[in-house]
Amino acid sequence: MINQHVISIDPEKFKVINLSDYTTWGIGGPSASVVVRTENELVDTVGFLNEESIPWIVLGRGSNMLAPTEGWSGVVIFLKGHFSEYFFKEERLTAGGGAHLPSVAGAACTKGLAGLVFAVGIPGTIGGAVYMNAGAYGSSISDFVEKVRVFHSNGLIEYLTPEECGFKYRFSSFQKSDSIVLSAELKLFKNQKSSKKLRREVREILQLRRLKFPLHAPNAGSVFRRPDFGPPPGKLIEDNGLKGYTIGGAMVSRVHANFIENTGRATSSDVMNLIELIINEVEKASGITLVREIRKLGEQI
Ligand SMILES: Cc1cc2nc3c(=O)[nH]c(=O)nc-3n(C[C@H](O)[C@H](O)[C@H](O)COP(=O)(O)OP(=O)(O)OC[C@H]3O[C@@H](n4cnc5c(N)ncnc54)[C@H](O)[C@@H]3O)c2cc1C
């Protein structure tokens, strides 16, 4: 399934990777990939791939992503270099699309800037967090976003306001486009809490997450979105007796039923079959149709 064409054009630039090494589920076969470090490199690369009609996707830390076991015939783009950087100016934070969210959130706390404590345990990038409107404990990244620098695949680079990003619960308009988050500017706030207190909150959150989530096994966080009404997905799944239910190497976590663990040799089909089964069982029992939060590589909703 690897795109041999693109590799043969420039084997120095386009490398074969195993997607299982780049997703937190540890699932996925071979794919072509490219690392870009500057906006110019990204613009050139996307322009070239579009001209060649080769599908592409930007992958962050793969912490919300199911990649096909049989591999992918497109090109996975990684944002590194300039895109991994972040800096603070008073209460404002500018972070590249490839910056590691827990590191950025931790650095903000160390500076005594509040707001991002919720994000210290979300193992993605700034780009992935904006795309997913990641959140926890009643806060989402959109609560702090002032503007987002984006690259539209027609070549245009511009800043979008939060309204233009169409943020909703675990949703942004990026999920319906192929625009790339280059960086985000966030407005945090100084409050009475010292950086020492913020760091204590960070430790408490990380401890809580270690207890509540199956961090011992490869997973991709919550599989389903919280429905608009009714109990949370974990409760609905648990009430159906599905904790521990296994298909192939994919198992409904015994620690938190809204997580699916890769017990060792799960394939992407195992995970998808388990997801379908959960949706059907929960729908039969409660009338609630669970909606997937995790993304399948290459899909657009
Ligand atoms: C243990 C664990 C705990 C988690 N806890 C939470 C939680 O508390 N709250 C929460 O909201 N999520 C949580 N998640 C899910 C996940 O970490 C978030 O959704 C995160 O924001 C995904 O970021 P990522 O960089 O890994 O994105 P990826 O998984 O790499 O990609 C997700 C989507 O974003 C797109 N994307 C990534 N970068 C860009 C970019 N620069 N421009 C455009 N599109 C981009 C990708 O194409 C893909 O469609 C958890 C995951 C794990 C494994």
Side-chain angles (χ1 to χ4, degrees):
M1 278 291 273
I2 310 165
N3 195 306
Q4 295 295 355
H5 172 57
V6 74
I7 306 258
S8 67
I9 292 174
D10 192 344
E12 283 301 303
K13 187 170 172 184
F14 297 99
K15 307 270 185 208
V16 178
I17 55 161
N18 241 326
L19 289 164
S20 59
D21 295 333
Y22 294 89
T23 58
T24 54
W25 247 325
I27 296 174
S31 170
S33 72
V34 60
V35 171
V36 294
R37 295 184 173 81
T38 63
E39 286 190 6
N40 283 345
E41 258 180 68
L42 179 65
V43 170
D44 288 351
T45 303
V46 169
F48 164 76
L49 293 171
N50 286 346
E51 259 171 41
E52 295 282 323
S53 304
I54 297 171
W56 53 267
I57 186 175
V58 172
L59 191 62
R61 296 277 171 145
S63 62
N64 203 45
M65 178 64 81
L66 181 62
T69 299
E70 59 277 17
W72 192 50
S73 61
V75 172
V76 172
I77 300 175
F78 293 107
L79 304 181
K80 302 282 180 197
H82 167 70
F83 296 109
S84 307
E85 292 166 8
Y86 54 91
F87 61 91
F88 296 90
K89 200 169 173 198
E90 291 165 3
E91 297 187 343
R92 285 202 165 69
L93 158 70
T94 304
H100 183 226
L101 181 60
S103 305
V104 173
C109 293
T110 304
K111 285 206 166 288
L113 290 173
L116 285 187
V117 179
F118 77 91
V120 289
I122 303 181
T125 57
I126 287 287
V130 169
Y131 179 101
M132 290 305 300
N133 193 14
Y137 314 111
S139 296
S140 301
I141 193 131
S142 58
D143 299 340
F144 306 96
V145 169
E146 280 202 329
K147 55 183 176 180
V148 179
R149 187 169 166 83
V150 294
F151 169 54
H152 303 294
S153 70
N154 63 7
L156 179 72
I157 291 183
E158 63 173 346
Y159 283 98
L160 297 184
T161 63
E163 291 72 34
E164 288 168 324
C165 293
F167 289 121
K168 286 188 222 151
Y169 165 72
R170 299 296 172 270
F171 179 81
S172 75
S173 53
F174 298 106
Q175 294 179 21
K176 288 192 179 290
S177 76
D178 55 5
S179 302
I180 298 174
V181 176
L182 301 173
S183 64
E185 208 172 295
L186 275 62
K187 171 91 164 62
L188 305 176
F189 53 94
K190 272 214 182 294
N191 64 3
Q192 296 87 338
K193 288 182 190 168
S194 64
S195 71
K196 205 169 150 197
K197 276 190 186 151
L198 284 170
R199 286 206 304 273
R200 190 179 330 128
E201 272 181 41
V202 166
R203 281 195 299 277
E204 283 165 8
I205 283 186
L206 292 177
Q207 173 65 8
L208 190 72
R209 292 173 74 95
R210 273 194 290 272
L211 293 174
K212 266 184 64 183
F213 300 152
L215 301 186
H216 60 279
N219 69 78
S222 297
V223 172
F224 298 102
R225 291 162 193 262
R226 201 181 57 219
D228 292 340
F229 62 92
K235 170 108 179 62
L236 289 165
I237 299 167
E238 186 172 349
D239 287 352
N240 271 275
L242 290 172
K243 265 189 167 177
Y245 194 93
T246 301
I247 294 184
M251 181 179 83
V252 177
S253 174
R254 291 197 169 89
V255 180
H256 191 310
N258 196 19
F259 282 57
I260 291 180
E261 297 176 17
N262 176 1
T263 61
R265 285 201 213 105
T267 63
S268 49
S269 306
D270 292 341
V271 173
M272 280 316 295
N273 290 338
L274 190 51
I275 287 175
E276 299 288 320
L277 182 133
I278 294 169
I279 292 174
N280 289 336
E281 292 299 310
V282 168
E283 201 166 47
K284 263 193 275 167
S286 66
I288 296 173
T289 310
L290 289 177
V291 176
R292 194 156 41 82
E293 178 173 320
I294 60 113
R295 312 284 303 162
K296 272 171 76 182
L297 193 146
E299 84 176 339
Q300 227 175 55
I301 50 173

